[in-house]
Amino acid sequence: MSALEELKKYEEYIYRCIHCKTCRMAYTDDPEKIYPENCPAGKKFEWEAFYNSGKMWILKAILEGELDWNERVAEIFYLCPTCGNCQQQCENDIPTVEIIEAVRAVCVEKGLGPLPRQKMFGELTAKYRNPYGEPHEKRLDWLPSDIRNSLPEKADVYYFVGCTASYRIQNVALATVSVLRKLGINFTISPDEWCCNSPLLRTGQLSLAKEYMQHNIDVIEKTGASVVITSCAGCYRTLKVDFPRFVGKYDFEVKHSVEFIYDLIQEGKLDPSKFKKINLVATYHDPCHYGRHIVLRMEDRKKKEEFFEVPRKIIEYLGIELREMRRIKADSWCCGAGGGVKAGAPDFALETAMERIKEALETGAQALLSACPFCYRNLTDAIKAMNAKLEFYDLIELLDKAIQ
Amino acid sequence: MPVDPKIIEALESIVGPEYVTTDEVILASYVSKGIMGLEAQRADIVVRPKYVEEVRRILMLANEHKIPVTPVAGGLSGGYACPTVKPGGILLDLSRMNRILEVDTDARYVVVEPGVRCGQIWRFFRDNYPEWAPPIPDGAPPAATVLGDALERGFSLVTSKYGPQADLVLGLEVVLPTGDILRTGSWALPGAKPFYRWGLGPDFTGLFLGSQGTLGVVTKMAIKIVPHPEHKDIVALAFEDPETMQKVTLRILKKEVGVMVQGGNWWLVPTRMDHESKLPHDYEFWKKRGVPKYFMNFEIWGITKEHLELEKKIIDEEVKAAKSKGEVVDYWKLHPRQVASRLKKPNKIAIPYAKWRGAFLFITWYLPWKGLAEFMKICEQKMEEYGFAPVIWVASIEHGRECIGMPIVCFNNRDPDDIQRVIEFNRETTEIFLDKGWINYRPDAKIHAPAMYSRAQGYYYWLKKIKQLFDPNGIMHPGRLCL
Ligand SMILES: Cc1cc2nc3c(=O)[nH]c(=O)nc-3n(C[C@H](O)[C@H](O)[C@H](O)COP(=O)(O)OP(=O)(O)OC[C@H]3O[C@@H](n4cnc5c(N)ncnc54)[C@H](O)[C@@H]3O)c2cc1C
Ligand code: SF4
Ligand code: SF4
């Protein structure tokens, strides 16, 4: 099926848009928490076209033959971190993220996309199996050689490290391994893991998707693991949501590392009262891919609430004083890095992250916490750019400190 | 239509180049059809001023070159803030003018610019003046603006007590196409506060309320705020037929109970839940789930708990009295979540009607309360005749002095036949309702305005005269009023 035919499948939804503009706000349930601005693309570029509501009406014009596909259409659809706030807010159940991604695939098909730097990471991924263009054989270089050499072929748990933690934010990967070892988890990692394809899927570059996904499934299944842990919210979303979409069912359960620890506690296998308490006043940033993008696919209201409580419970177990920002959980303000924006429009990504840092600072917290190495990169870039007095930790780093 | 580069340059020099565009993709993104009307055209150029002086200079330029201007505040009126006819001309996007300029909790008003959205002002009041509520529309999404809604004479969260939004307006600042700035109400006196609507002699304010942007650009509005007590509840009554609903509700309303009293028929429930193919269409199914055939929700606010209880007691006495007369009325016991959802302001309640068939149209009428049952019956019958789910919403205005009634026509906007049926339904019911002396609120250009003004030609004649006076070159868009 061509990308255009795939997009046409969404026609019914595109036409459902009543142009109510609710999708620019942060307002899931509680009017007391309403926040008038929660669309990073619209906030940055201001014109109606950049908000999701405008995007839907651009598509209507195209479908009705009143507007042609062109580079400007592509640009507008690419300058968006696909944070999913619009989909979260839309009461007409318009799958906006899927639509934006389907439009990007059409743009690729028509030679109008992706943005130049995104194209580059597509090429790098094809060549090196990761979008950073790092040598594939160095994927496990971050891991001390004694551990690397002792990784079993078969294990109960597979740790899917992801490209960002493998090549850039390695402290997250190291902390994860350290925690797993301290807990005596029978886990393994493969040097032959490939990019999960998230950056390519998000930018409409679909040609590698099936091959890469199937490869990763094969690698994981070879280990016999029944549980896969991810550090990266993007990998988490892709394995959980996109793998089944592109290559069908697989035979393991996918958990975020934070979720994995939380489940151990719930199952009585880990006693949080034994955690070394962390003396910190902190706030927590919900990554879009380990947040909204997942709950959007849940029917049960209670399950959604529980999902957002997982990192918060962990923070409580760690003895940290949590000071919430205004836009949290399903209404979270995006870090700005997703959807290919960090590579394609780095200034926009940074500006979006800076707004998050400002919000974090308003809480009076000394640290900002999150659970994604990609958010980590962008948010710490913003902290540096602003010279802000704010520490940053991935939850797994703090768990590593707390678990003896 | 291509815009003269000299005009673009002139506009850029007024607001800055980053706030002027002729980009066809952006122009397409502003189009909106549905909710209130089916016609909208693409503008030729969008300009986004921030200051009154910029608005003034834009209008003077447009006036000089006879370029049409359409003002848009929130743009939530389903295309009423889009040009109706070609050339589309300038779309004056006022969203950057989004300051809340003054709050006076003694004289009890707030002064807003056109771009102040309901979500923004609600947030602002919760943070700074939690004891006061700004008059945001009751069911409009949070991106609607206070000013746009009041210009439309909409219904607010307290309309059942205080009247339509227009009744809360104390004064306006309007930039006329000639560049003159007109202030209305007590604001007209230099240095005076906007505390008194009726100002310096005959009142100009009303001329602009309902004018759909056809006479000038409103750049500031002073509008009343109301006490926002902590104690709130919903009392919902269930009825078997609209006649009893009309009678019993009016008796309660005459005791001046409730800030927002609204209801309708059971069809309001399924049509916002999912696609028509996925849900049962027969009432028996919904009855088993506790949905009454007809219902009226009384949103009541109490300054104290006792006050709230007193309001409930008044309702209860009327319910008992009705029952003793043999009238069929009962309480609809709502789940706490249903109560909370009805109390939410601003809310998203009216958005999902697009799920049923893909799109919807609110066709809204004002009528005396005593016409409610007849209105509902006609709508139900005609909607079924035309193949639409008979979804009808009604509400009380100022304690039932008037009723606002609204068939929600859920239709398929990808099917030309369905669209044609909407038009025919609208045309036929318009004639019926006008015959009865009922009035369309937010008239549209193809059906309501021609039908209404052909019956009230004298009024239309004077409206035209006023339009000529304020807008001698006819640059302000004709709205849906054909002005
Ligand atoms: C789902 C839904 C539910 C709704 N529920 C309600 C409700 O409960 N109550 C209610 O009252 N309405 C309701 N509405 C209608 C809608 O919210 C209002 O019509 C709208 O809010 C008007 O405000 P706006 O800023 O969006 O106006 P716009 O769409 O921007 O403009 C409305 C009209 O005023 C003109 N105009 C705008 N700004 C100016 C200006 N500064 N000077 C001169 N003319 C101007 C425009 O040209 C247009 O004709 C609902 C709409 C939707 C989509
Ligand atoms: S996408 Fe949904 S929330 Fe956004 S404008 Fe359209 S209908 Fe409203
Ligand atoms: S995905 Fe996020 S940034 Fe993109 S249009 Fe939706 S809300 Fe805006």
Side-chain angles (χ1 to χ4, degrees):
Chain A
M1 190 186 283
S2 74
L4 198 58
E5 282 162 345
E6 186 70 31
L7 176 65
K8 284 241 164 96
K9 286 204 299 199
Y10 294 105
E11 187 178 294
E12 180 195 337
Y13 292 104
I14 294 165
Y15 270 80
R16 259 195 203 180
C17 175
I18 62 164
H19 220 152
C20 72
K21 305 186 183 180
T22 308
C23 41
R24 67 188 56 200
M25 308 219 160
Y27 178 28
T28 294
D29 254 334
D30 185 353
E32 299 307 307
K33 293 193 185 134
I34 191 163
Y35 203 96
E37 193 68 72
N38 209 28
C39 166
K43 176 90 199 297
K44 163 80 180 157
F45 301 102
E46 293 191 25
W47 294 105
E48 174 59 19
F50 288 86
Y51 290 102
N52 180 69
S53 48
K55 289 190 179 96
M56 295 303 112
W57 285 78
I58 292 170
L59 290 179
K60 265 192 205 183
I62 292 177
L63 289 169
E64 286 176 3
E66 289 170 4
L67 190 68
D68 291 328
W69 289 100
N70 59 38
E71 274 169 11
R72 183 61 170 150
V73 171
E75 184 185 35
I76 287 169
F77 275 84
Y78 274 104
L79 290 173
C80 154
T82 57
C83 70
N85 177 63
C86 41
Q87 188 163 341
Q88 173 65 35
Q89 308 302 335
C90 180
E91 289 287 311
N92 278 317
D93 295 347
I94 301 177
T96 65
V97 174
E98 275 95 323
I99 293 172
I100 295 168
E101 288 181 2
V103 168
R104 291 177 177 190
V106 175
C107 292
V108 170
E109 201 172 82
K110 289 186 177 291
L112 300 167
L115 299 175
R117 287 199 229 179
Q118 297 169 341
K119 198 168 179 186
M120 197 169 74
F121 67 56
E123 288 157 6
L124 292 174
T125 306
K127 200 162 165 198
Y128 298 100
R129 315 293 189 202
N130 70 78
Y132 296 108
E134 298 288 350
H136 176 60
E137 57 283 6
K138 295 198 165 181
R139 196 170 179 97
L140 285 192
D141 273 13
W142 55 275
L143 198 57
S145 54
D146 55 326
I147 304 179
R148 201 183 329 149
N149 295 334
S150 63
L151 287 170
E153 272 185 21
K154 297 269 174 202
D156 302 334
V157 171
Y158 180 84
Y159 172 36
F160 192 92
V161 187
C163 305
T164 306
S166 296
Y167 295 112
R168 293 291 181 271
I169 310 293
Q170 296 169 339
N171 41 329
V172 167
L174 284 164
T176 309
V177 165
S178 166
V179 166
L180 293 176
R181 282 163 59 87
K182 281 191 232 171
L183 296 177
I185 305 293
N186 171 230
F187 74 98
T188 194
I189 307 171
S190 167
D192 204 23
E193 178 185 300
W194 293 355
C195 172
C196 72
N197 251 243
S198 170
L200 307 191
L201 294 183
R202 311 279 88 88
T203 53
Q205 305 180 77
L206 309 184
S207 60
L208 300 179
K210 279 193 179 160
E211 185 199 348
Y212 275 50
M213 288 176 184
Q214 194 54 58
H215 169 86
N216 283 324
I217 289 176
D218 292 345
V219 164
I220 294 165
E221 286 185 346
K222 225 161 66 188
T223 68
S226 57
V227 175
V228 173
I229 308 176
T230 70
S231 292
C232 174
C235 300
Y236 179 71
R237 193 257 197 223
T238 307
L239 264 74
K240 231 178 154 73
V241 179
D242 300 301
F243 275 34
R245 205 154 61 99
F246 280 81
V247 287
K249 281 192 179 158
Y250 45 69
D251 209 16
F252 45 81
E253 197 183 349
V254 179
K255 291 186 183 184
H256 190 280
S257 56
V258 171
E259 204 179 11
F260 179 75
I261 304 290
Y262 176 79
D263 286 350
L264 290 181
I265 295 170
Q266 299 314 300
E267 289 157 12
K269 293 178 185 156
L270 177 62
D271 181 0
S273 69
K274 298 207 174 110
F275 282 5
K276 192 173 129 205
K277 297 295 173 233
I278 310 261
N279 186 13
L280 199 65
V281 179
T283 189
Y284 177 73
H285 167 75
D286 295 272
C288 303
H289 288 156
Y290 176 47
R292 228 169 4 229
H293 280 234
I294 303 300
V295 297
L296 272 167
R297 284 159 182 88
M298 291 178 177
E299 291 287 324
D300 188 339
R301 193 192 182 91
K302 243 182 135 189
K303 280 206 171 124
K304 291 185 188 198
E305 282 164 17
E306 278 167 20
F307 184 86
F308 283 117
E309 282 314 311
V310 169
R312 288 168 173 80
K313 281 271 174 214
I314 294 283
I315 289 168
E316 192 185 314
Y317 296 142
L318 290 167
I320 293 170
E321 182 188 331
L322 178 66
R323 296 216 186 135
E324 293 277 23
M325 291 181 274
R326 256 197 170 142
R327 291 171 288 186
I328 54 167
K329 302 182 179 176
D331 284 341
S332 183
W333 173 260
C334 169
C335 82
V341 169
K342 181 80 180 156
D347 292 350
F348 170 30
L350 188 66
E351 223 174 277
T352 307
M354 282 159 78
E355 169 145 353
R356 194 54 163 169
I357 301 304
K358 271 192 230 144
E359 200 175 344
L361 288 169
E362 275 168 23
T363 66
Q366 75 192 84
L368 172 60
L369 315 179
S370 195
C372 170
F374 209 49
C375 296
Y376 193 128
R377 270 192 80 194
N378 205 34
L379 292 169
T380 49
D381 283 353
I383 292 173
K384 271 186 228 135
M386 293 165 78
N387 210 3
K389 261 191 91 185
L390 192 67
E391 299 158 37
F392 186 95
Y393 302 103
D394 191 286
L395 279 181
I396 201 74
E397 293 179 284
L398 298 179
L399 279 163
D400 188 26
K401 283 189 190 164
I403 296 171
Q404 305 296 309
Chain B
M1 207 173 99
V3 185
D4 180 349
K6 282 204 194 100
I7 299 291
I8 300 176
E9 223 173 90
L11 287 167
E12 286 179 347
S13 75
I14 297 171
V15 294
E18 64 274 41
Y19 297 115
V20 178
T21 189
T22 53
D23 177 339
E24 56 166 359
V25 185
I26 295 184
L27 297 177
S29 75
Y30 276 92
V31 173
S32 189
K33 289 179 203 170
I35 313 175
M36 317 292 167
L38 297 170
E39 290 91 29
Q41 300 289 342
R42 209 184 282 177
D44 297 317
I45 183 162
V46 185
V47 186
R48 302 182 62 223
K50 176 133 182 91
Y51 302 106
V52 180
E53 184 53 22
E54 292 175 355
V55 173
R56 205 173 78 86
R57 289 174 60 199
I58 295 165
L59 287 191
M60 282 160 65
L61 181 83
N63 199 32
E64 189 189 335
H65 297 275
K66 298 197 174 57
I67 305 166
V69 176
T70 303
V72 48
L76 255 77
S77 54
Y80 276 41
C82 293
T84 353
V85 283
K86 289 205 165 170
I90 296 172
L91 191 74
L92 198 63
D93 173 355
L94 299 161
S95 58
R96 288 178 69 225
M97 299 178 76
N98 62 356
R99 290 176 304 168
I100 298 165
L101 294 168
E102 188 191 347
V103 177
D104 187 325
T105 52
D106 295 326
R108 281 163 278 156
Y109 64 78
V110 57
V111 177
V112 290
E113 289 190 322
V116 174
R117 297 189 189 273
C118 298
Q120 174 193 350
I121 200 167
W122 194 256
R123 168 85 274 139
F124 177 81
F125 269 75
R126 297 311 289 150
D127 288 349
N128 300 291
Y129 303 96
E131 285 158 14
W132 298 96
I136 61 168
D138 185 68
T145 72
V146 177
L147 187 144
D149 191 60
L151 280 186
E152 293 264 70
R153 307 157 302 172
F155 43 98
S156 77
L157 75 172
V158 289
T159 280
S160 301
K161 180 170 177 180
Y162 295 96
Q165 288 285 54
D167 287 8
L168 302 182
V169 176
L170 285 167
L172 304 173
E173 177 188 85
V174 192
V175 181
L176 299 175
T178 50
D180 290 335
I181 295 183
L182 178 68
R183 282 195 167 202
T184 71
S186 52
W187 240 352
L189 182 72
K193 292 275 186 184
F195 63 94
Y196 180 53
R197 156 82 187 260
W198 304 100
L200 315 183
D203 166 50
F204 275 121
T205 315
L207 278 177
F208 295 94
L209 304 174
S211 71
Q212 297 187 356
T214 58
L215 301 178
V217 178
V218 180
T219 43
K220 286 186 190 74
M221 175 182 282
I223 189 162
K224 292 176 192 171
I225 55 174
V226 299
H228 193 196
E230 245 178 74
H231 307 280
K232 293 181 179 181
D233 208 346
I234 301 281
V235 176
L237 298 184
F239 303 91
E240 294 278 314
D241 62 88
E243 287 85 358
T244 312
M245 179 158 85
Q246 174 190 308
K247 276 192 247 163
V248 177
T249 306
L250 186 59
R251 281 183 224 132
I252 299 169
L253 291 173
K254 282 185 178 173
K255 306 235 159 109
E256 307 211 332
V257 171
V259 292
M260 190 64 201
V261 179
Q262 57 175 319
N265 62 7
W266 65 272
W267 274 104
L268 285 163
V269 177
T271 41
R272 58 184 297 284
M273 286 172 83
D274 211 333
H275 192 268
E276 60 176 342
S277 60
K278 294 191 186 149
L279 294 168
H281 291 207
D282 63 318
Y283 176 57
E284 286 312 305
F285 175 88
W286 299 98
K287 189 176 174 184
K288 279 188 202 132
R289 273 146 192 84
V291 181
K293 207 162 191 184
Y294 295 89
F295 57 88
M296 195 61 76
N297 297 316
F298 291 76
E299 179 169 341
I300 45 178
W301 291 4
I303 295 168
T304 59
K305 251 189 181 162
E306 292 71 29
H307 182 191
L308 192 71
E309 289 311 312
L310 178 67
E311 299 256 315
K312 284 189 198 170
K313 197 167 157 240
I314 295 170
I315 297 175
D316 194 48
E317 278 165 6
E318 286 301 336
V319 170
K320 281 186 185 136
K323 280 185 172 173
S324 71
K325 281 192 218 158
E327 289 169 326
V328 183
V329 46
D330 221 326
Y331 286 101
W332 178 12
K333 286 189 188 64
L334 299 173
H335 185 277
R337 207 150 54 224
Q338 288 174 305
V339 173
S341 118
R342 282 163 173 73
L343 288 176
K344 257 183 219 171
K345 310 288 152 106
N347 60 52
K348 302 186 188 177
I349 260 172
I351 299 171
Y353 286 103
K355 282 189 198 167
W356 189 254
R357 225 181 229 187
F360 62 87
L361 210 59
F362 291 152
I363 308 178
T364 325
W365 291 85
Y366 274 126
L367 48 141
W369 186 266
K370 282 202 160 175
L372 179 145
E374 195 184 3
F375 176 82
M376 290 192 80
K377 280 188 162 165
I378 297 170
C379 288
E380 282 177 338
Q381 186 203 332
K382 290 292 163 195
M383 288 171 95
E384 279 181 323
E385 252 176 61
Y386 282 92
F388 300 115
V391 194
I392 302 151
W393 175 88
V394 288
S396 135
I397 308 276
E398 218 196 331
H399 300 305
R401 278 187 208 278
E402 304 116 60
C403 163
I404 182 167
M406 184 169 87
I408 302 177
V409 188
C410 300
F411 67 104
N412 180 351
N413 53 352
R414 293 180 298 147
D415 175 1
D417 291 343
D418 226 25
I419 295 173
Q420 192 53 36
R421 271 194 292 278
V422 179
I423 294 168
E424 279 158 22
F425 161 79
N426 199 1
R427 189 165 284 138
E428 188 184 345
T429 47
T430 296
E431 294 299 335
I432 298 172
F433 295 160
L434 287 175
D435 283 346
K436 298 200 175 289
W438 301 341
I439 289 171
N440 188 276
Y441 137 76
R442 287 197 185 105
D444 77 10
K446 290 233 168 114
I447 298 171
H448 307 131
M452 178 172 76
Y453 290 136
S454 64
R455 290 166 188 240
Q457 291 180 14
Y459 197 84
Y460 185 59
Y461 169 82
W462 282 105
L463 279 183
K464 284 291 241 188
K465 283 248 173 217
I466 286 164
K467 165 94 174 169
Q468 269 159 17
L469 194 68
F470 283 137
D471 181 14
N473 287 338
I475 61 156
M476 297 308 297
H477 76 146
R480 271 59 183 166
L481 298 171
C482 311
L483 277 181

